[in-house]
Amino acid sequence: MRVSIGDVARRAGVSISTVSRVINRRELVNAETRQRVDQAIAELGYRPNMFARGLMLRKSDMLGLALPDVHGEFYSEVIRGANAKARELGYHLVISSTNGPEDAQTLLEDLLRRSIVDGMAIMVSEQPGGRPWEQIETRLPLVLLDGAVEDGEHDSVVIDQRAGAQALMRHLIRRCGMKRILFMGGLTTNVDTMARRQVYEEVMRAADLPVSPEDVYHLDFQYETAYAFARDRVKGWAGSRHCVFAANDEMACAVIDAATEARVRVPQDLAVVGFDDTRIARMTRPPLTTVRVPMSTMGATAIELLCKRLADPDQPPTHVSLTPQLMVRESCGAAQQAGAKPAPGDTHVA
Amino acid sequence: MRVSIGDVARRAGVSISTVSRVINRRELVNAETRQRVDQAIAELGYRPNMFARGLMLRKSDMLGLALPDVHGEFYSEVIRGANAKARELGYHLVISSTNGPEDAQTLLEDLLRRSIVDGMAIMVSEQPGGRPWEQIETRLPLVLLDGAVEDGEHDSVVIDQRAGAQALMRHLIRRCGMKRILFMGGLTTNVDTMARRQVYEEVMRAADLPVSPEDVYHLDFQYETAYAFARDRVKGWAGSRHCVFAANDEMACAVIDAATEARVRVPQDLAVVGFDDTRIARMTRPPLTTVRVPMSTMGATAIELLCKRLADPDQPPTHVSLTPQLMVRESCGAAQQAGAKPAPGDTHVA
DNA sequence: GAATCCACTGAAAGCGTTGTCAATGAGTGG
DNA sequence: CCACTCATTGACAACGCTTTCAGTGGATTC
């Protein structure tokens, strides 16, 4: 049978209360007694039962992190950041992801209902699920992550999609002199896609450039889909000062590959830019101009906010906005800086 | 204040026991009563307190997953597989990673000590930590993941490094006719590296090929390091039927880039192969021949074993070995299959 | 009609902690 | 020497749930 606090007490010849005190508030107990208890704990290999403890303390030191889909580098970076921060602050992380948008509700429900977390960070990037967390009445501290549109009521950390997309679009138009830009996004239900598309249209209009419906495509963020799609069309897209703005790096790579395949030169005949700055962005030839999204920072910040709220539940909600960074490489055709030829992967940070 | 089972009981006009029964063993209570209780639960938004429940049931439906470092695609895939399987089986996942090898002990200690998991999967890939789990006496079901050398006592799931490396080496020698193969691994403390290196040497010897110490390098798995390293040497490596066997894809890519940069043609002047088959393997030009490691399967299997053991704690330990798959692309210079030119990313599975 | 059985329900005993409160005894100032 | 403070400790009541055991009536059997 597992050894409990009572066993320790007996062995040390003290009361349960004293053992508890040794564990939680050492300073309150006499040095000599304390040592006896410590020894008993060591000898018995005693480990406090976290259920009992949680029952009293009403906390578990565990935080939840719900993601749309753990697939891909994006989410793994979020996890990494969150995990590091959680450990730093003495918490553990319960991670879960939905198997598709319609599942979000179920997951959240389940996680909130069954699991033992002190607070929870939620990222929902597909619209149709709506705002699952609202359905569930709970007093559990919640932090909303990018995608889950901020509702004012909860803490949130978002990526400033607009700023990133704007920087990119302006670079394309002002610095690279693009005249025609095509937009290739994920599904229209994806909030990131829609945010980027909106900025795309705004900046195009502001620059008096045409934004025709047939220059806007919605695929599914996958390389394969985008490649198959671009393969047939890339020749038609080519032209001086023409560019494809893909809403993620995977699709941008696919376009580059399709172009290369079709002997459409990138960036001379067709510039291509992506979004996210995942690992592959530096692997393409030419290297991909894209927007770096501070993914791990996002995870870390979420955990930080969660802990702050745990410490002080009544403070007004904090909203953190993380600004992405334009990474100018070669696929956009920006004039290369003077000087030595950069090594592969070199990047000019704008 | 939070609503407890007593509140529900009062509202439904029944005893606590009955409410508990409705929740756990519906069939034992009269349909009419049951309905009254269900209604009370719904009206009050009652959610059982998992601490109290765990205290009685001595289980939390949470499983732990300890990884060496969440960085990189490899681990994110493990997480993905584990998460999916965990959800499927009705569990939640507590994930944590070490911030370096010496941290493994601490993490594990902490996780086992403080957290509430029914079982735990552990991956430790750096040797110096030894076998941290052995230090900690615990009756908690443990599954050891690749890297953590199997100790016979616990369930384990490992990647058959030998089979993968053998397939690759033999392909290189028999099919591609390589005469000189260089080995580029991670640090010597990394168990995967050492396993691959061992096979490398064995197969070389078996084929009567020279394996000189200066053809074996130990770097750190990073692109940058490998690139800087290869840059100065790649010309010296070049030669007919020469090849670099990098122990992961990142380093392989670095070698390809360094070679391309130095006008050493891949694979004609120098073949390059990697290991892992991460996302970037299909992005290099030429695409990288590598070995696909079933990462998400590994995560899923670990969870599966854990659950099996939970269900039947006394069964003898299960050891699962996952076989990697050779992915022949173009960087090894294998004769291209007859027929149409493959699309980028196309792969010939050996 | 008494004895059983059955379906259902309630009372109460834990589960392993923490925290409150009182008790003990030694030391202190008057 | 007394009232008082202080440091230390123990008893015991929660915490919210599950589960065992013992009713309670009505139906069934002999």
Side-chain angles (χ1 to χ4, degrees):
Chain A
M1 203 40 234
R2 247 197 84 157
V3 25
S4 83
I5 198 172
D7 304 323
V8 177
R10 208 165 311 118
R11 175 137 192 161
V14 298
S15 73
I16 288 184
S17 321
T18 301
V19 177
S20 173
R21 266 189 291 260
V22 169
I23 296 172
N24 302 298
R25 327 233 345 237
R26 303 182 69 74
E27 70 281 4
L28 288 187
V29 16
N30 180 286
E32 191 191 338
T33 318
R34 187 195 307 163
Q35 199 217 311
R36 246 187 14 258
V37 172
D38 279 334
Q39 189 181 339
I41 290 181
E43 286 171 2
L44 264 36
Y46 167 67
R47 249 191 291 276
N49 178 314
M50 296 319 275
F51 292 114
R53 172 179 268 227
L55 189 53
M56 282 305 294
L57 265 34
R58 351 192 61 65
K59 71 195 196 77
S60 63
D61 294 334
M62 304 200 136
L63 301 176
L65 177 58
L67 300 173
D69 183 0
V70 177
H71 207 21
E73 187 180 330
F74 191 92
Y75 300 115
S76 98
E77 280 295 287
V78 174
I79 292 176
R80 193 167 71 92
N83 179 74
K85 181 58 80 178
R87 283 208 70 196
E88 182 188 323
L89 298 174
Y91 284 86
H92 286 295
L93 218 50
V94 179
I95 295 180
S96 209
S97 76
T98 55
N99 311 315
E102 73 294 329
D103 189 36
Q105 177 80 28
T106 320
L107 168 66
L108 224 56
E109 189 113 15
D110 191 51
L111 217 44
L112 292 174
R113 182 180 304 275
R114 307 211 359 246
S115 110
I116 322 186
V117 291
D118 296 340
M120 168 130 214
I122 304 177
M123 169 142 78
V124 183
S125 58
E126 299 296 328
Q127 206 54 278
R131 302 177 170 190
W133 65 91
E134 286 186 346
Q135 318 295 331
I136 300 168
E137 57 126 2
T138 171
R139 213 167 276 69
L140 200 72
L142 245 43
V143 169
L144 271 24
L145 284 194
D146 188 48
V149 193
E150 36 191 320
D151 62 354
E153 190 181 342
H154 294 99
D155 294 320
S156 68
V157 23
V158 302
I159 301 293
D160 189 343
Q161 300 285 350
R162 295 191 54 85
Q166 261 168 18
L168 182 61
M169 285 296 293
R170 287 187 183 145
H171 174 82
L172 253 28
I173 293 174
R174 296 186 191 163
R175 301 263 314 169
C176 310
M178 293 298 160
K179 291 304 177 199
R180 180 186 171 201
I181 303 179
L182 295 87
F183 179 86
M184 181 182 288
L187 298 177
T188 50
T189 51
N190 179 278
V191 294
D192 290 341
T193 290
M194 294 318 280
R196 288 163 199 179
R197 175 177 163 176
Q198 197 191 342
V199 172
Y200 157 77
E201 292 179 357
E202 286 171 13
V203 179
M204 288 294 273
R205 294 221 173 79
D208 283 326
L209 289 178
V211 34
S212 69
E214 60 260 36
D215 277 0
V216 172
Y217 308 109
H218 286 282
L219 307 179
D220 67 357
F221 274 149
Q222 308 256 340
Y223 177 96
E224 289 73 16
T225 314
Y227 181 80
F229 186 82
R231 183 172 213 165
D232 305 331
R233 283 161 246 247
V234 67
K235 277 215 158 89
W237 295 340
S240 173
R241 314 256 170 203
H242 285 195
C243 178
V244 173
F245 170 10
N248 76 346
D249 292 343
E250 285 283 331
M251 295 194 296
C253 288
V255 173
I256 290 181
D257 285 346
T260 307
E261 197 67 15
R263 310 220 176 285
V264 169
R265 293 167 306 162
V266 178
Q268 298 89 328
D269 303 333
L270 180 66
V272 179
V273 297
F275 216 103
D276 288 347
D277 194 30
T278 52
R279 185 70 189 88
I280 56 171
R282 301 204 295 293
M283 305 301 314
T284 56
R285 289 298 103 88
L288 190 64
T289 289
T290 184
V291 174
R292 170 171 298 178
V293 176
M295 307 175 273
S296 77
T297 307
M298 192 159 128
T301 309
I303 297 303
E304 222 169 341
L305 290 187
L306 219 38
C307 292
K308 277 214 189 95
R309 172 138 323 268
L310 250 27
D312 175 11
D314 294 320
Q315 65 185 333
T318 313
H319 302 289
V320 175
S321 176
L322 264 25
T323 308
Q325 194 179 30
L326 178 60
M327 307 297 284
V328 177
R329 299 204 180 92
E330 297 166 35
S331 71
C332 62
Q336 204 54 55
Q337 305 306 106
K341 184 151 181 263
D346 265 17
T347 302
H348 168 64
V349 175
Chain B
M1 206 39 236
R2 246 195 86 156
V3 24
S4 84
I5 197 171
D7 303 324
V8 177
R10 208 166 311 119
R11 175 135 192 164
V14 297
S15 74
I16 288 183
S17 327
T18 301
V19 177
S20 173
R21 267 189 290 261
V22 169
I23 296 172
N24 302 298
R25 328 236 339 241
R26 304 183 68 76
E27 70 280 4
L28 289 187
V29 16
N30 181 286
E32 191 191 339
T33 317
R34 185 195 308 162
Q35 198 217 311
R36 246 189 10 258
V37 172
D38 278 335
Q39 188 180 338
I41 289 179
E43 287 172 2
L44 263 37
Y46 168 68
R47 248 191 293 275
N49 178 315
M50 296 320 269
F51 293 114
R53 170 178 266 231
L55 191 52
M56 284 304 294
L57 267 32
R58 352 192 60 68
K59 69 191 196 78
S60 63
D61 294 336
M62 305 199 137
L63 301 176
L65 178 57
L67 300 173
D69 183 0
V70 178
H71 206 20
E73 186 180 330
F74 190 92
Y75 301 113
S76 95
E77 280 295 287
V78 174
I79 293 177
R80 193 167 72 91
N83 178 74
K85 181 59 78 176
R87 283 209 71 199
E88 182 189 323
L89 297 174
Y91 285 85
H92 286 295
L93 217 51
V94 179
I95 294 179
S96 209
S97 76
T98 56
N99 311 313
E102 71 294 329
D103 189 35
Q105 177 79 31
T106 320
L107 168 67
L108 225 55
E109 189 112 16
D110 190 51
L111 215 46
L112 292 173
R113 184 182 301 279
R114 304 211 0 245
S115 107
I116 322 185
V117 291
D118 296 339
M120 166 129 214
I122 305 178
M123 169 142 76
V124 183
S125 58
E126 300 296 329
Q127 205 54 277
R131 302 176 169 190
W133 65 93
E134 286 186 345
Q135 316 297 332
I136 301 168
E137 56 124 3
T138 170
R139 212 166 276 70
L140 201 70
L142 244 43
V143 170
L144 270 24
L145 284 194
D146 187 50
V149 193
E150 34 191 325
D151 62 355
E153 190 182 339
H154 295 100
D155 294 320
S156 68
V157 24
V158 303
I159 301 293
D160 189 344
Q161 300 284 348
R162 296 191 54 83
Q166 261 167 19
L168 181 60
M169 284 296 293
R170 287 184 184 149
H171 174 82
L172 252 28
I173 293 174
R174 295 183 191 166
R175 302 262 315 169
C176 309
M178 291 300 160
K179 293 303 178 195
R180 180 187 172 200
I181 303 178
L182 296 87
F183 178 86
M184 181 181 289
L187 298 177
T188 52
T189 52
N190 180 275
V191 293
D192 289 342
T193 290
M194 294 317 280
R196 289 163 200 178
R197 175 177 163 177
Q198 197 191 342
V199 172
Y200 158 77
E201 292 179 357
E202 285 171 14
V203 179
M204 287 294 273
R205 294 220 173 79
D208 282 327
L209 289 178
V211 33
S212 69
E214 60 260 35
D215 277 0
V216 172
Y217 308 110
H218 287 281
L219 308 179
D220 66 356
F221 275 149
Q222 307 258 339
Y223 177 96
E224 289 72 16
T225 314
Y227 181 79
F229 185 82
R231 184 172 213 165
D232 305 330
R233 282 162 249 248
V234 68
K235 276 214 159 89
W237 295 339
S240 172
R241 313 257 171 201
H242 285 195
C243 178
V244 172
F245 170 9
N248 76 347
D249 292 344
E250 285 281 333
M251 296 194 295
C253 287
V255 174
I256 290 183
D257 285 345
T260 306
E261 196 67 16
R263 310 220 175 285
V264 170
R265 294 168 306 162
V266 177
Q268 298 92 325
D269 303 332
L270 181 67
V272 178
V273 297
F275 215 102
D276 288 347
D277 194 28
T278 52
R279 185 69 189 91
I280 56 171
R282 301 205 294 294
M283 304 302 312
T284 56
R285 288 298 103 85
L288 190 64
T289 289
T290 186
V291 175
R292 170 172 299 179
V293 176
M295 309 175 273
S296 77
T297 308
M298 191 160 130
T301 309
I303 297 304
E304 223 169 341
L305 290 188
L306 219 38
C307 292
K308 277 211 187 97
R309 173 136 323 265
L310 251 26
D312 175 10
D314 295 321
Q315 65 186 334
T318 314
H319 301 290
V320 175
S321 175
L322 266 25
T323 307
Q325 194 179 31
L326 178 60
M327 307 297 283
V328 178
R329 300 204 180 90
E330 297 167 33
S331 71
C332 61
Q336 203 54 57
Q337 305 306 106
K341 184 150 180 265
D346 264 16
T347 303
H348 168 63
V349 176

